[in-house]
Amino acid sequence: MSRAMQCQSCLPWGSWMQLRRSLPGSTGTRSVYLCAASVPGTAGSTFLRKILHASSISLPRGSVRYQGGSQERSVQPRSSGHGLSQLRNVASSDAIKKHQKSLSAWFSHQPNEERQFGPSFSLDAVHVDPVIRESSLEEILKPSPDLTIQNQLQQPCSQVISLQNLFDVDACGRQVKNVVLYGTVGTGKSTLIKKMVVDWCHGLLPRFELVIPFSCEDLSHSHAPISLRRLITKKYQHLRDVVPMLGTSNLKVLFILNGLERLNLDFRLAGTELCCDPNEPVPPSAIVVNLLRKYLLPEASIIVTTRPSAVRRIPGKYVGRYAEICGFSDTNLQKMYFQMRLSQPGCSGENSVGSSSGEQENLVEMLSRNLERHNQIAAACFLPSYCWLVCTTLHFLYFTRTVPPSQTLTGIYTSFLRLNFSGEVLDSTDPTNISMMKYVAKMVGKLAYEGVMSRKTCFSEDDLQQCFEVEMKTESELNLLEVFRSDVFRFFLTPCVQPGKEHTFVFTIPAMQEYLAALYVVLGEKKTLAQRVGKELSEVIGKVSEDVAVVMSIISKVLPLRFLPVLFNLLKIFPRYFSRLSSKDQDAIAHTMAEELFKEEDYYNDDVLDQINSSILGVEGPMHHPDEARDDEVFELFPIFMGGILSRRNRAILEQLGCSIKNLAAFEIAKAMKKTVIRNSRKGLPSSELMDYLFFLHEFQNERFTAEAIRSLRTVNLSSVRMTPLKCSVLASVMGTTCHEVEELNLTSCNLDTSSLRILFPVLLRCKALHLQLNSLGSDACKEIRDLLLHDKCVVAKLRLANNPVGEQGAQYLAEALAGNHSLTHLSLLHTALGDRGAEVIAQHLAENQHLQELNLGYNSLTDAAALHVVEVAKKHATLDKVHLYFNDISEDGKQALHSLRMDRDGVRALVFLTAGTDVSDYWSHILNVVQRNLPFWDRERVRQHLALILQDLESSRRQTANPWRKAKFLRVESEVKKMLGKLQHGTL
């Protein structure tokens, strides 16, 4: 019988819509365990690494057990003397304690990806269990109903069962010995088993006196006969004194078989003989079969974890209870998970402990609100694995402060796939033994790529059939597709919850579509029919030519046939010719990457990091009406992921997943892309697009390529980009690949703070013109700027700090910087709340400066004394020739004194009003432009008063002159001021 016929638990062939059920289960009784315990430091058996997969769901242990809405004391360890008393000696009891210590240390171990959440984060901590629903073989085999996520959430779930109750008696009162725990990829099977083992190690599973876990992946690699007792002692040496007791006492033993889909079991007597002797050597698969048959150690309990497609490998008569892991089908569980994980001590790094708690709480609050109003992300977080991805992405976005950043976004997604798919084969019974990730990259990647190219995120049933089924030709391909639909499909695609699109599918996380599309292209799966046929034919001819070469060389020595070498050389022409044509594939990949990276229609979107942040936390403000037409979908992460996948680290991880990208291919793609990318980057990109370009260079992780690209950037304009610590780290890292001087760095209105300046310090040193306006930089930031200007490698010549709350203390730091700096020529402190005291402090240090040429102290509430003091110092300065003093509280007498200054006599010009005696100032347009640019950030009433005074001054000066040309100039300037006043009064300016 074919595999497609055997797997009746899979969906009917023609209906993709029956996969709409998402993750079954709903709001039932849930439990969270908090138990204080320390973790032994001993290591466990090496084979147990096979069980350490993704979906880690844990937090620090406490001392209370929460179950539903009630609260009760946690289960205390009971004395297991009944079983231990029958052990032959005390050594056996000590052996089990050592076994517990070893298992606890090993199963509490977390992957490297978890270390970012702080040292206190471990599995031996608070753990949020996914929903477990009791099922039956009949329910597994029957076709799934066509349900939407909303309908499923409304269904009552009376079959929820806790992990501790899996071995309770069944509905007929029979004791359950064998439990099959199944779930699709990402629902948390392996993590739940790890938690179960750790609980037993700490005495929280008193039902069993001995727990023996096995990895079915590990067992599948061995076919040599071995006895059960030898197998146990081989994996757990501590149990060599306990193993002889198995089968001869009533010791309560639990065997855990994780990942049964990796074993090919045959329960027919003709395939696997009966064996009840734990000392008899048989193949490992025969041991598993006889344990499940209850022919070997019938008193032992067994829990099996598997994917849905492999549930039927165990005949129903050998299973006492079926239980399905349904993930987090309740949003309250999702909120609890996020609250616990994102609130971990040390989660935000060691250097920001004091200021990070508020930010962590704010993140959790925003995420919680978005879960309540945005059903799509709630649907994604049904899978605990995606909850992990959301938390990891938020941690990357908000708590990255190192230079270079310790991670890349592509690396997060690649690691996420490794945690869920490492070592996973789609179907162990298929002779191709194709890795699950390779199959996903080929099939789902195609769908993702076609969606990116057509700029759509919703896919109909016809789209799925066209992508997945159209090329199915063999029985093996159909069987693989059935397994994929049963086990993996819902990990990547979920029903759309947007009104009007309930019968379509979307990618579980939007960015995953772009990642898989990028992987599809980089792996070279995007080929025409001619390219695929040519590659296969080339490989066949290449292999044949090697064999023919040997035969030809032998024949040519025996028979004088001169034409044989000629035929042989002709035979080798095709592979050589095709290899040259195949190099064009790398050029096509490079062209696709460059073209998508610089799409003009995406120029004025938010940068990709802000887009990701909004997709997770939502956008505060009014929501779109469901019937309102939405803007075109944006896929700016697609080329960035293409570059990130080509990095050495990500290629190494993908190699483990069965997706091989050769070094030569990566080199050729980078080489082909270099000219196009650098040429496009010189066109003057908008600030958000430039940030995307810098992020692409960071993700690419190619230092030589990045250095060459950055050398071409002499001006970096990132104005109005929200420069988070992560973006600052990316900018510092990318710019740090070279040492060239930057002509201009514009960071106006970028939400910079003191920590941002510290991160960017090496970059700021190399900038000749530095724009830091509108960043709320106070005195602490001015201290950093002082250190910057006093650095011996500083080349900053123009520094603009307008519209920052510098204040008197900040002025003190800047004055100290002026005294010792040798590069600064232009300093703008427009509207920085200096006051008279701040201006006087700067004036006191001006004499020690020998290079400043222009100083702007406009709109700082300066009075006559402070303004005249600054001007008096400026007169004596060797190079300072221009001082801006407009929009200050200068009286008419002060104005007259400043008007009397002459450049040829005093060596300095003060810009105060739009008039210069009986003439219009040469700088009138400059002053009005400054006012117009800064009006959104200034006090409008005060600006109106100043403009009224300026208008009076213009009218008075016009009346005093008899020169008609000057009168015309006055009238022109008066007209501009009146227009500005009119717009200001009507609120249109």
Side-chain angles (χ1 to χ4, degrees):
M1 184 181 296
S2 70
R3 174 62 194 276
M5 293 297 293
Q6 290 176 357
C7 188
Q8 297 180 35
S9 61
C10 302
L11 301 177
W13 177 249
S15 177
W16 283 95
M17 298 307 295
Q18 291 180 353
L19 283 166
R20 303 191 53 79
R21 52 181 298 197
S22 183
L23 294 176
S26 60
T27 57
T29 304
R30 300 298 312 119
S31 51
V32 182
Y33 301 93
L34 304 95
C35 310
S38 59
V39 183
T42 57
S45 306
T46 57
F47 90 99
L48 291 175
R49 292 186 186 273
K50 306 292 184 179
I51 307 180
L52 299 178
H53 289 303
S55 312
S56 299
I57 311 157
S58 43
L59 289 143
R61 299 180 77 90
S63 58
V64 183
R65 174 184 176 185
Y66 295 95
Q67 185 166 357
S70 64
Q71 178 174 330
E72 58 185 67
R73 301 301 299 172
S74 62
V75 179
Q76 297 299 323
R78 293 206 306 254
S79 173
S80 54
H82 176 68
L84 296 178
S85 63
Q86 299 191 30
L87 296 176
R88 289 179 178 174
N89 48 46
V90 179
S92 298
S93 177
D94 292 338
I96 291 182
K97 290 179 180 179
K98 290 181 181 179
H99 180 59
Q100 288 177 325
K101 186 176 181 180
S102 176
L103 286 182
S104 175
W106 192 260
F107 278 80
S108 298
H109 171 76
Q110 293 292 332
N112 292 335
E113 288 80 3
E114 296 289 13
R115 295 179 183 176
Q116 62 187 311
F117 291 103
S120 63
F121 190 84
S122 66
L123 185 65
D124 184 30
V126 176
H127 172 81
V128 182
D129 280 334
V131 172
I132 304 176
R133 184 179 64 89
E134 187 168 3
S135 182
S136 65
L137 185 60
E138 292 75 17
E139 186 175 347
I140 296 171
L141 297 182
K142 71 180 180 181
S144 303
D146 183 9
L147 294 177
T148 62
I149 291 176
Q150 293 93 330
N151 293 337
Q152 198 160 43
L153 284 174
Q154 295 170 1
Q155 284 188 330
C157 188
S158 59
Q159 296 176 308
V160 171
I161 186 170
S162 68
L163 189 65
Q164 284 72 19
N165 297 329
L166 287 177
F167 290 93
D168 288 352
V169 295
D170 61 15
C172 300
R174 292 173 300 199
Q175 183 64 46
V176 172
K177 287 293 186 179
N178 291 351
V179 174
V180 173
L181 191 63
Y182 69 95
T184 59
V185 174
T187 50
K189 299 184 296 297
S190 296
T191 302
L192 201 61
I193 290 302
K194 289 163 60 179
K195 176 63 171 56
M196 187 177 188
V197 172
V198 171
D199 279 352
W200 174 76
C201 293
H202 292 289
L204 299 178
L205 203 63
R207 181 192 296 267
F208 303 106
E209 294 160 345
L210 179 62
V211 171
I212 303 176
F214 285 118
S215 165
C216 292
E217 181 183 359
D218 178 61
L219 297 180
S220 68
H221 296 308
S222 175
H223 302 285
I226 188 172
S227 68
L228 174 61
R229 289 178 176 174
R230 177 69 187 100
L231 180 64
I232 294 173
T233 56
K234 179 181 178 182
K235 306 300 181 182
Y236 304 101
Q237 293 184 2
H238 298 104
L239 297 179
R240 58 181 176 271
D241 294 328
V242 181
V243 165
M245 310 299 297
L246 296 178
T248 62
S249 69
N250 60 349
L251 185 67
K252 298 177 181 178
V253 182
L254 171 65
F255 287 97
I256 297 176
L257 302 173
N258 188 54
L260 188 75
E261 67 275 357
R262 300 304 299 267
L263 285 176
N264 295 325
L265 303 181
D266 188 350
F267 280 82
R268 299 172 305 159
L269 291 177
T272 304
E273 64 177 342
L274 296 174
C275 175
C276 63
D277 185 0
N279 294 312
E280 182 179 347
V282 293
S285 60
I287 293 177
V288 172
V289 168
N290 281 289
L291 282 173
L292 291 170
R293 284 172 172 167
K294 291 302 168 195
Y295 203 74
L296 179 63
L297 300 185
E299 73 281 358
S301 298
I302 302 172
I303 185 168
V304 173
T305 68
T306 185
R307 302 199 301 257
S309 64
V311 168
R312 285 209 60 204
R313 295 186 187 179
I314 305 176
K317 62 182 179 181
Y318 298 130
V319 179
R321 173 170 284 126
Y322 292 94
E324 181 181 12
I325 302 181
C326 303
F328 295 157
S329 56
D330 184 358
T331 54
N332 289 326
L333 294 179
Q334 301 171 14
K335 292 178 183 179
M336 186 183 301
Y337 177 91
F338 294 131
Q339 172 71 37
M340 293 175 175
R341 183 176 281 264
L342 291 174
S343 301
Q344 283 295 291
C347 172
S348 56
E350 298 177 357
N351 299 328
S352 56
V353 175
S355 61
S356 63
S357 59
E359 187 173 20
Q360 289 173 277
E361 292 175 2
N362 186 47
L363 273 181
V364 173
E365 178 64 25
M366 292 179 68
L367 184 55
S368 177
R369 287 202 300 267
N370 199 35
L371 285 171
E372 293 172 357
R373 69 189 179 193
H374 182 31
N375 290 334
Q376 201 64 63
I377 191 172
C381 292
F382 279 167
L383 293 174
S385 292
Y386 277 100
C387 292
W388 180 90
L389 181 61
V390 167
C391 287
T392 306
T393 304
L394 286 176
H395 188 276
F396 174 68
L397 292 176
Y398 282 88
F399 303 122
T400 298
R401 291 178 171 85
T402 58
V403 180
S406 58
Q407 293 191 80
T408 64
L409 185 66
T410 315
I412 289 174
Y413 275 74
T414 308
S415 297
F416 169 69
L417 294 174
R418 176 177 65 180
L419 288 171
N420 286 278
F421 294 97
S422 180
E424 292 287 344
V425 174
L426 184 61
D427 185 4
S428 60
T429 64
D430 188 80
T432 60
N433 216 31
I434 185 173
S435 76
M436 187 177 289
M437 195 61 231
K438 177 68 174 178
Y439 189 87
V440 167
K442 181 179 179 181
M443 304 298 290
V444 187
K446 179 182 178 183
L447 180 72
Y449 174 74
E450 291 177 353
V452 169
M453 291 297 100
S454 58
R455 300 181 79 82
K456 70 175 183 179
T457 57
C458 294
F459 303 92
S460 66
E461 183 177 358
D462 290 339
D463 293 331
L464 299 181
Q465 290 177 346
Q466 181 69 23
C467 185
F468 295 149
E469 300 178 7
V470 70
E471 295 182 3
M472 297 291 108
K473 297 178 181 178
T474 67
E475 183 73 9
S476 175
E477 290 175 337
L478 295 177
N479 291 337
L480 289 175
L481 183 59
E482 285 295 343
V483 174
F484 164 76
R485 293 169 63 179
S486 174
D487 298 349
V488 191
F489 178 84
R490 284 178 286 173
F491 184 85
F492 293 102
L493 291 158
T494 187
C496 182
V497 299
Q498 185 178 342
K501 296 185 178 180
E502 292 86 353
H503 298 287
T504 61
F505 291 89
V506 295
F507 277 83
T508 312
I509 292 287
M512 184 59 73
Q513 178 180 353
E514 297 175 78
Y515 181 93
L516 293 177
L519 183 60
Y520 177 77
V521 174
V522 174
L523 286 176
E525 294 293 340
K526 191 192 75 169
K527 288 185 173 69
T528 64
L529 179 61
Q531 287 175 321
R532 287 196 296 269
V533 172
K535 181 180 179 181
E536 293 174 1
L537 186 59
S538 174
E539 291 175 352
V540 171
I541 295 178
K543 293 177 180 178
V544 170
S545 63
E546 294 176 1
D547 298 331
V548 171
V550 178
V551 177
M552 292 291 187
S553 61
I554 296 173
I555 295 176
S556 61
K557 294 179 180 178
V558 179
L559 300 175
L561 301 177
R562 300 181 179 273
F563 63 89
L564 289 179
V566 177
L567 290 177
F568 172 62
N569 290 329
L570 288 174
L571 193 63
K572 293 193 295 183
I573 286 178
F574 184 80
R576 292 175 181 174
Y577 178 73
F578 183 80
S579 65
R580 294 179 183 178
L581 290 180
S582 62
S583 65
K584 299 294 183 181
D585 293 345
Q586 320 305 336
D587 295 341
I589 294 173
H591 176 75
T592 300
M593 196 183 308
E595 183 180 18
E596 293 293 325
L597 188 61
F598 297 105
K599 269 194 171 180
E600 292 188 7
E601 56 263 40
D602 296 334
Y603 267 14
Y604 297 99
N605 300 319
D606 291 338
D607 63 81
V608 292
L609 293 175
D610 280 352
Q611 291 176 30
I612 295 171
N613 183 70
S614 298
S615 71
I616 296 175
L617 298 180
V619 179
E620 298 295 329
M623 298 182 66
H624 289 286
H625 190 275
D627 298 329
E628 182 180 344
R630 301 185 63 178
D631 297 334
D632 289 340
E633 300 291 348
V634 177
F635 296 98
E636 294 183 88
L637 269 175
F638 170 54
I640 293 174
F641 276 143
M642 287 178 69
I645 288 171
L646 289 171
S647 70
R648 185 180 298 275
R649 179 177 179 275
N650 287 319
R651 284 190 285 118
I653 296 176
L654 288 169
E655 180 76 30
Q656 300 171 17
L657 297 176
C659 300
S660 178
I661 304 171
K662 302 300 182 184
N663 289 332
L664 181 60
F667 173 78
E668 290 178 348
I669 292 172
K671 183 179 178 181
M673 186 177 56
K674 186 176 298 183
K675 292 181 180 179
T676 307
V677 167
I678 294 176
R679 182 176 65 252
N680 281 280
S681 67
R682 291 172 179 167
K683 293 180 179 179
L685 301 172
S687 54
S688 61
E689 193 70 13
L690 179 58
M691 187 67 240
D692 290 346
Y693 176 58
L694 296 174
F695 188 59
F696 165 79
L697 295 176
H698 163 68
E699 293 287 311
F700 197 30
Q701 296 287 292
N702 186 324
E703 189 170 340
R704 182 180 297 180
F705 181 96
T706 300
E708 191 166 343
I710 288 299
R711 285 192 199 98
S712 65
L713 290 179
R714 294 293 176 177
T715 300
V716 179
N717 181 9
L718 295 173
S719 61
S720 300
V721 172
R722 189 174 62 93
M723 292 298 291
T724 61
L726 171 61
K727 295 177 189 176
C728 292
S729 299
V730 168
L731 176 60
S733 173
V734 170
M735 298 295 291
T737 56
T738 69
C739 298
H740 78 285
E741 293 182 358
V742 180
E743 294 294 332
E744 181 179 356
L745 176 59
N746 190 344
L747 296 174
T748 301
S749 189
C750 288
N751 295 89
L752 298 179
D753 56 16
T754 306
S755 63
S756 304
L757 296 181
R758 288 196 196 101
I759 295 172
L760 293 172
F761 194 91
V763 178
L764 303 181
L765 284 174
R766 296 155 41 198
C767 299
K768 293 182 178 180
L770 188 55
H771 302 267
L772 299 176
Q773 305 98 297
L774 294 164
N775 279 297
S776 301
L777 299 176
S779 58
D780 290 340
C782 291
K783 189 175 181 181
E784 294 295 324
I785 294 173
R786 178 198 63 183
D787 296 341
L788 172 73
L789 295 175
L790 292 178
H791 198 281
D792 56 355
K793 293 184 179 180
C794 177
V795 299
V796 177
K798 295 182 180 180
L799 176 61
R800 300 187 184 278
L801 288 169
N803 300 305
N804 283 297
V806 172
E808 182 180 331
Q809 183 60 53
Q812 178 67 43
Y813 292 132
L814 294 176
E816 295 171 8
L818 282 175
N821 178 265
H822 301 286
S823 62
L824 197 63
T825 59
H826 295 71
L827 175 62
S828 174
L829 296 173
L830 175 70
H831 191 222
T832 51
L834 296 181
D836 284 352
R837 181 58 188 156
E840 289 174 359
V841 168
I842 289 176
Q844 291 171 6
H845 289 77
L846 270 178
E848 302 175 52
N849 180 280
Q850 302 298 321
H851 300 87
L852 195 64
Q853 299 174 10
E854 184 175 342
L855 176 63
N856 191 336
L857 299 177
Y859 202 164
N860 274 295
S861 303
L862 303 187
T863 59
D864 293 0
L868 291 172
H869 184 201
V870 171
V871 171
E872 287 300 320
V873 173
K875 285 182 181 179
K876 303 172 184 178
H877 197 282
T879 57
L880 184 59
D881 59 12
K882 193 182 296 182
V883 179
H884 300 250
L885 295 170
Y886 39 80
F887 276 65
N888 281 303
D889 301 331
I890 300 174
S891 67
E892 191 65 27
D893 293 339
K895 173 191 168 185
Q896 294 299 327
L898 293 172
H899 269 320
S900 65
L901 292 173
R902 294 289 181 271
M903 186 66 189
D904 53 353
R905 182 188 66 198
D906 302 309
V908 66
R909 183 184 295 270
L911 281 63
V912 185
F913 282 83
L914 303 188
T915 59
T918 58
D919 198 359
V920 175
S921 170
D922 294 337
Y923 301 98
W924 71 269
S925 61
H926 171 77
I927 295 174
L928 290 182
N929 284 335
V930 169
V931 174
Q932 191 160 1
R933 283 198 310 268
N934 292 277
L935 191 58
F937 322 105
W938 289 358
D939 183 350
R940 287 178 173 253
E941 179 58 27
R942 184 173 179 182
V943 172
R944 190 192 64 77
Q945 294 174 3
H946 275 282
L947 287 176
L949 291 174
I950 287 175
L951 186 60
Q952 293 176 11
D953 181 66
L954 286 168
E955 293 172 345
S956 174
S957 298
R958 174 169 53 82
R959 286 192 293 268
Q960 294 175 15
T961 183
N963 189 317
W965 174 248
R966 289 183 179 179
K967 283 182 178 291
K969 290 172 64 177
F970 274 115
L971 288 171
R972 179 190 172 191
V973 178
E974 287 175 31
S975 175
E976 293 294 330
V977 175
K978 288 178 181 178
K979 286 181 183 178
M980 192 174 292
L981 273 170
K983 291 181 179 179
L984 190 61
Q985 290 173 354
H986 291 91
T988 58
L989 187 61

